[in-house]
Amino acid sequence: MDDKKMEMLEKYFSDFQESLAKVETLDELNRVKGQYLGRKSLMGDFLTQLRSLSPEEKRIWGQKLNEIKSRMEEDLKKKYEWLMFEKGESSSFIDVTLPGRKQWVGSFHPVLIVRDQILSIFQSLGFRIESGPEIESDFYNFEALNIPPDHPTRDDQDSFYLSPGWLLRTHTSPGQIRAMQKLTPPFKVVVPGRCYRRDAFDATHSPMFHQIEGLVVAPSISMGDLKGTVAIFVRRFFGLHRQVRFRPSYFPFTEPSAEVDVSCGVCQGKGCRSCGYSGWLEIMGAGLVHPQVFAKVGYDPEQVRGFAFGMGVERITMLKFGVTDIRWFLENDVNFLEQFKALR
Ligand code: PHE
């Protein structure tokens, strides 16, 4: 083989490119492919002639032919893709047996659905929504809430400290402090957010969970206002037949303090397995704002009163839908999550 043949080959390749450029349909593409790469094409001839060449020539020409052939194949493939996907020229062979592509529609996470349901109940009662940072200082998370330095909740065991004096908030109660600093009484706020604790990760504990804090500050707030508000919330959220009960409790930032229970929806308070045979389910901590807390934000405890409550959103979601393990909320199992799709 000689220079003349090399010229032929180069012309052949540029002819091929020219023909390919004019291709508009799959039929034309197949014709060009047959013409330039088929058995009876010049390329076919050249490949056949290879056999009669000396080993040295075979090596040179074999390499050259292969290079051109694979460039042609590459160009054909690109053209094919252009025809199929950009020009939409797939009509000549639609495979009607191919299953359609399913479009997955996402859904809101159950914890967020419940969070929003709770918030909208409080909004309808005139509460405004506030938020605060997940990284809090000692002052907001503890000190301003009348939690003394030696209190067990300050222990490293329970909190994620980032550096001395800074931690991931262990509850949304710092939102109370921020709301009081920002607003002038009277006001009603709810503060939703993520909280973090160095707890075990088991069926009822998670190192990250959500709370909703509530705070009402006005001149003449009483436990009666707290009970009434909570009762309205419980009946709207869980159902009209549910009962509410306050049990005396202790929080450093409220006095008096209470734990709030709702009657079990499974046994209507008679006692069953889901309520541990007590007939009641705990849903939140609450109480009247401690005078020390008012003092920390510069409010006069003689002039204002307030009530506060805090509830765990995962816990309430579990009670509402009978979810028995908090870890489900973090598994990202689509089959689990999809069950809540219709709710929003
Ligand atoms: N912050 C408390 C907790 O995390 C809940 C609470 C909030 C209690 C407001 C009383 C008042 O357990």
Side-chain angles (χ1 to χ4, degrees), residues 101-238:
R101 288 206 192 101
K102 185 166 178 169
Q103 298 285 317
W104 286 94
V105 178
S107 56
F108 284 89
H109 192 282
V111 168
L112 297 189
I113 294 173
V114 166
R115 177 198 68 182
D116 289 350
Q117 286 177 352
I118 296 170
L119 290 176
S120 69
I121 291 172
F122 283 103
Q123 269 185 306
S124 79
L125 298 173
F127 285 69
R128 58 188 276 170
I129 299 173
E130 289 288 335
S131 65
E134 290 178 29
I135 296 173
E136 272 294 10
S137 68
D138 225 87
F139 175 79
Y140 284 100
N141 197 80
F142 296 130
E143 198 190 318
L145 290 161
N146 196 33
I147 303 175
D150 54 1
H151 195 276
T153 60
R154 280 209 182 200
D155 210 310
D156 281 6
Q157 297 268 253
D158 299 315
S159 317
F160 288 111
Y161 271 91
L162 302 170
S163 60
W166 293 93
L167 70 160
L168 296 175
R169 66 178 168 205
T170 58
H171 51 181
T172 44
S173 298
Q176 291 186 32
I177 307 301
R178 291 182 179 277
M180 287 191 275
Q181 286 179 337
K182 178 177 163 185
L183 306 169
T184 313
F187 63 78
K188 300 187 260 195
V189 293
V190 270
V191 188
R194 287 186 164 141
C195 306
Y196 302 84
R197 283 182 202 174
R198 289 183 59 179
D199 268 337
F201 194 29
D202 60 25
T204 52
H205 299 86
S206 163
M208 185 282 293
F209 56 97
H210 296 73
Q211 282 191 340
I212 293 177
E213 193 81 9
L215 174 68
V216 174
V217 180
S220 60
I221 290 292
S222 70
M223 278 302 265
D225 296 305
L226 171 61
K227 283 194 89 168
T229 305
V230 169
I232 288 171
F233 160 69
V234 164
R235 303 227 164 90
R236 283 236 216 129
F237 183 80
F238 288 104

